[in-house]
Amino acid sequence: MKARTSLAFVTEGWEAFQKLSGLRHIENSADYDELVVLADMLVDAGAMQATHPCHSLFQVIADLIYAYDQRHYLQAEVHGVDLLRFLMEQHDLRQSQLPEIGTQSVVSEILAGKRELTVNHIRALAKRFALSPAAFF
């Protein structure tokens, strides 16, 4: 297939897909709201699971939503310890339930600001909570 023919095929497919799904670059809050609804439907359908056939589509939509949020909404700076506290609260965890960090006393020292999260702590926490390690920096 020639490059021009291939591009024409992609263009036709993209136009049809856009009409069907509503997926496009987010230009305004109405576009944003539409993609959030689509993302929610995909979450409800199980598309957050890597084995779901629409997982990649969900990831693309999540990236578009994230990029729009970063451009339009000021984000408070969150430090790794603040994120750790939030995750503990959301998952109803006690200090002794974080083997990724170590003993309860180590967790306590980190939460009190007496110790820092190490790279190994961050990697393990990121894996446990399915987050990017960058979220802790």
Side-chain angles (χ1 to χ4, degrees):
M1 207 185 273
K2 293 180 181 177
R4 235 173 228 225
T5 306
S6 177
L7 182 58
F9 179 76
V10 169
T11 300
E12 290 173 21
W14 174 244
E15 288 174 351
F17 180 74
Q18 272 186 282
K19 287 177 186 173
L20 180 66
S21 69
L23 180 64
R24 64 189 165 282
H25 179 74
I26 302 174
E27 297 289 335
N28 53 49
S29 61
D31 292 346
Y32 178 89
D33 292 342
E34 284 183 44
L35 283 187
V36 168
V37 168
L38 181 55
D40 288 344
M41 289 189 307
L42 287 165
V43 167
D44 292 344
M48 288 181 70
Q49 298 296 321
T51 56
H52 192 279
C54 290
H55 178 68
S56 181
L57 173 61
F58 170 75
Q59 288 182 308
V60 168
I61 292 170
D63 288 345
L64 289 169
I65 292 169
Y66 177 79
Y68 185 89
D69 285 342
Q70 292 297 304
R71 285 191 315 271
H72 292 89
Y73 302 107
L74 292 176
Q75 302 288 320
E77 190 172 321
V78 176
H79 299 283
V81 174
D82 298 325
L83 178 57
L84 178 58
R85 278 191 193 98
F86 173 78
L87 292 168
M88 288 174 68
E89 180 182 319
Q90 292 298 304
H91 295 272
D92 196 29
L93 296 172
R94 294 184 303 278
Q95 293 177 3
S96 61
Q97 295 174 304
L98 290 166
E100 297 83 1
I101 295 176
T103 65
Q104 182 273 331
S105 62
V106 173
V107 175
S108 179
E109 288 177 352
I110 289 170
L111 293 173
K114 295 178 182 176
R115 290 179 77 158
E116 298 286 326
L117 286 168
T118 68
V119 172
N120 288 335
H121 294 153
I122 290 169
R123 283 185 185 140
L125 290 167
K127 183 177 180 182
R128 176 177 182 172
F129 295 107
L131 297 170
S132 167
F136 289 91
F137 292 99

